[in-house]
C-alpha cells in the first residue's frame, strides 16, 4: 500500500511541476527583456563623467584602442560607459582607410548609449565639411576602395541621400556646451563667434550646408572649424589667456576644448591658461604618430569638475 501512496504522491508532484512550467512559460515569453547594463563605474558615485576624444582621421584600430582605454567600449566595440557622455570633436575622415568603420561605430554607439541613459555627441570638423563639399585632397586611394570606388563614395557622402553624408548633416553640430561648464568645438573659438552663441552658430552652419554655401565665414579660416589662434597662442601667451577668459565669460563656461591643432610633437593633451583651454588633438591616427589620449571630465558633487588626460600609462590630472 505504501508503494501506491508513494506512486500517487510522485504523480501529483510531477503534475504540479508541469502545470507551473506551462503557466509560467507563455507569460515569460511576453515579458520585456531587461536591457543589458554595463558594469557600474565606482567613480559615478556623486559624480558624472564626460570623455572627449579628438581627431581620429580614419584610423579605426587606434580609435578602438583609445575608446577601450577610456572605458567607453569593450573589446567587441560595444558601449560600456553607462550614463557617461562621449564627445568626439570631428575630423574622423581623411589620411587613412578606416572611414566607414569609424562612422558606423559612432552610429552604433549613439544608439547603445541612448539605451543606457548615456550620450554620444558628434561635432563637424573641417575635414567633414571638406568631404561634404567634395574637397577630397586628403582622401587616400585605399579609403576610396573601401567604398567601392569614387562614385560609390560620392553617393555615400550625399547630404540628402547618402548614409554617411546625411549622418554628418543631420546629427553633427559645430559647437556644443556640456552641462553648462565646457564648450566643445572642433577648432578654436573666437570672441566674434562666441558672441553669436552656440545655438546661432549651429543654425548658421546647418543653413550653410543646406544651401551648399561652403564659402560662408563659419567654414572659413577664422571660423570654429579651422581657427588655430588659441592653440598656437598667436596673440602671445598673456593676450591669448585674456581672449580665452573673455570667451569663457561670454558663453558662461569654465573651459574651452578643441581638437584640430595636432600636438604631434608631444603626443599629449595641451592645457593652457590654468586649464581654461584644452587641446585634445594628440595625433591619434598613425599618420600623425599614433599617440593615444582622451580627456576625462568628472563632475563633482560640489559643482566643480576634475579634468584629467587619460593615457596608456594612466591618468594625469590637468585641473
Amino acid at each position: 500500500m505504501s508503494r501506491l501512496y508513494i506512486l500517487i504522491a510522485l504523480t501529483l508532484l510531477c503534475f504540479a511541476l508541469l502545470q507551473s512550467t506551462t503557466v509560467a512559460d507563455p507569460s515569460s515569453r511576453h515579458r520585456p527583456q531587461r536591457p543589458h547594463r554595463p558594469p557600474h563605474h565606482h567613480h559615478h558615485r556623486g559624480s558624472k563623467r564626460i570623455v572627449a576624444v579628438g581627431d581620429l582621421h580614419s584610423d579605426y584600430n587606434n580609435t578602438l584602442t583609445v575608446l577601450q582605454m577610456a572605458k567607453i567600449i569593450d573589446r567587441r566595440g560595444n558601449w560600456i560607459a553607462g550614463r557617461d557622455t562621449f564627445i568626439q570633436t570631428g575630423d574622423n575622415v581623411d589620411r587613412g582607410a578606416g572611414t566607414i568603420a569609424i562612422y558606423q561605430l559612432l552610429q552604433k554607439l549613439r544608439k547603445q548609449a541612448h539605451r543606457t541613459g548615456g550620450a554620444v555627441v558628434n561635432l563637424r570638423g573641417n575635414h567633414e565639411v571638406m568631404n561634404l563639399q567634395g574637397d577630397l585632397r586628403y582622401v587616400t586611394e585605399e579609403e576610396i576602395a573601401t567604398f567601392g570606388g569614387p562614385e560609390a563614395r560620392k553617393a555615400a557622402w550625399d547630404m540628402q541621400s547618402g548614409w554617411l553624408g546625411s549622418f554628418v548633416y543631420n546629427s553633427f553640430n559645430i559647437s556644443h556646451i556640456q552641462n553648462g561648464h565646457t564648450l566643445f568645438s572642433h577648432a578654436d573659438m573666437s570672441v566674434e563667434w562666441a558672441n553669436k552663441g552656440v545655438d546661432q552658430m549651429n543654425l548658421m552652419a546647418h543653413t550653410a550646408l543646406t544651401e551648399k554655401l561652403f564659402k560662408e565665414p563659419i567654414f572659413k579660416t577664422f571660423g570654429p572649424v579651422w581657427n588655430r589662434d588659441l592653440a598656437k597662442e598667436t596673440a602671445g601667451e598673456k593676450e591669448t589667456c585674456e581672449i580665452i577668459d573673455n570667451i569663457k565669460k561670454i558663453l558662461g563656461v569654465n573651459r574651452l576644448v578643441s581638437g584640430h591643432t595636432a600636438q604631434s610633437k608631444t603626443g599629449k593633451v595641451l592645457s593652457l591658461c590654468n586649464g581654461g583651454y584644452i587641446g585634445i588633438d594628440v595625433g591619434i591616427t598613425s599618420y600623425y604618430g599614433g599617440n593615444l589620449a582622451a580627456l576625462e571630465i568628472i563632475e563633482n558633487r560640489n559643482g566643480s569638475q576634475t579634468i584629467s588626460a587619460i593615457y596608456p600609462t594612466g591618468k594625469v590630472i590637468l585641473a
Side-chain angles (χ1 to χ4, degrees):
M1 242 353 229
S2 60
R3 284 185 185 176
L4 181 61
Y5 284 133
I6 292 167
L7 190 61
I8 291 168
L10 285 171
T11 304
L12 288 171
L13 182 62
C14 289
F15 181 76
L17 286 171
L18 187 63
Q19 282 291 95
S20 67
T21 54
T22 52
V23 170
D25 279 350
S27 64
S28 66
R29 227 179 273 132
H30 297 289
R31 195 181 299 132
Q33 294 271 323
R34 286 188 179 181
H36 170 68
R37 295 279 177 184
H40 183 77
H41 296 298
H42 292 298
H43 57 240
H44 281 193
R45 290 175 189 163
S47 68
K48 294 179 182 175
R49 182 174 183 255
I50 299 145
V51 170
V53 172
D55 308 39
L56 300 171
H57 282 304
S58 301
D59 193 324
Y60 183 58
N61 288 336
N62 284 358
T63 297
L64 293 178
T65 304
V66 166
L67 295 187
Q68 287 169 21
M69 180 183 78
K71 295 182 171 58
I72 294 296
I73 61 172
D74 61 17
R75 291 192 176 187
R76 293 182 178 180
N78 291 313
W79 179 264
I80 57 164
R83 299 174 67 85
D84 295 350
T85 299
F86 166 49
I87 300 174
Q88 203 287 321
T89 55
D91 277 12
N92 300 293
V93 62
D94 292 343
R95 307 195 191 282
T99 299
I100 292 174
I102 288 175
Y103 286 105
Q104 286 180 341
L105 175 67
L106 292 172
Q107 285 181 320
K108 180 181 78 170
L109 293 180
R110 287 171 75 96
K111 292 174 184 173
Q112 291 181 339
H114 181 71
R115 288 190 211 117
T116 62
V120 175
V121 176
N122 292 112
L123 299 181
R124 289 185 209 104
N126 57 301
H127 284 265
E128 271 87 9
V129 175
M130 289 165 72
N131 276 268
L132 289 174
Q133 74 181 84
D135 183 343
L136 311 180
R137 74 183 93 161
Y138 298 108
V139 180
T140 65
E141 291 296 325
E142 294 84 2
E143 194 249 47
I144 292 171
T146 66
F147 282 85
E151 287 306 311
R153 190 185 191 279
K154 184 180 178 182
W157 273 95
D158 186 280
M159 281 184 280
Q160 303 304 323
S161 59
W163 74 269
L164 209 170
S166 61
F167 177 44
V168 174
Y169 171 67
N170 290 309
S171 303
F172 287 43
N173 268 322
I174 288 291
S175 54
H176 172 78
I177 293 178
Q178 182 66 31
N179 295 358
H181 54 65
T182 304
L183 172 83
F184 293 89
S185 53
H186 173 66
D188 292 345
M189 193 53 62
S190 66
V191 170
E192 179 190 356
W193 285 103
N195 274 318
K196 297 184 188 303
V198 164
D199 291 342
Q200 182 65 14
M201 279 186 277
N202 288 335
L203 178 62
M204 290 173 75
H206 192 76
T207 303
L209 288 176
T210 303
E211 299 173 7
K212 299 189 176 179
L213 301 173
F214 295 102
K215 292 186 178 180
E216 284 289 283
I218 198 159
F219 295 143
K220 300 302 281 183
T221 306
F222 297 105
V225 297
W226 277 103
N227 190 4
R228 303 183 194 273
D229 284 352
L230 303 180
K232 291 185 173 294
E233 297 182 301
T234 306
E237 188 177 340
K238 184 184 174 186
E239 291 81 357
T240 297
C241 287
E242 288 172 1
I243 293 167
I244 288 166
D245 284 341
N246 199 353
I247 294 169
K248 282 161 53 181
K249 284 175 189 169
I250 292 166
L251 294 172
V253 297
N254 298 339
R255 68 195 61 82
L256 318 177
V257 177
S258 301
H260 188 52
T261 305
Q263 306 301 314
S264 303
K265 289 182 181 177
T266 65
K268 304 293 182 186
V269 171
L270 174 68
S271 179
L272 302 174
C273 311
N274 298 315
Y277 172 91
I278 299 172
I280 60 171
D281 179 3
V282 297
I284 289 172
T285 172
S286 54
Y287 182 91
Y288 283 128
N291 306 304
L292 306 177
L295 182 73
E296 180 185 70
I297 301 173
I298 298 289
E299 296 178 339
N300 304 310
R301 282 183 175 176
N302 64 4
S304 67
Q305 297 92 44
T306 302
I307 318 298
S308 305
I310 305 173
Y311 299 113
T313 51
K315 287 185 196 178
V316 176
I317 293 179
L318 302 176

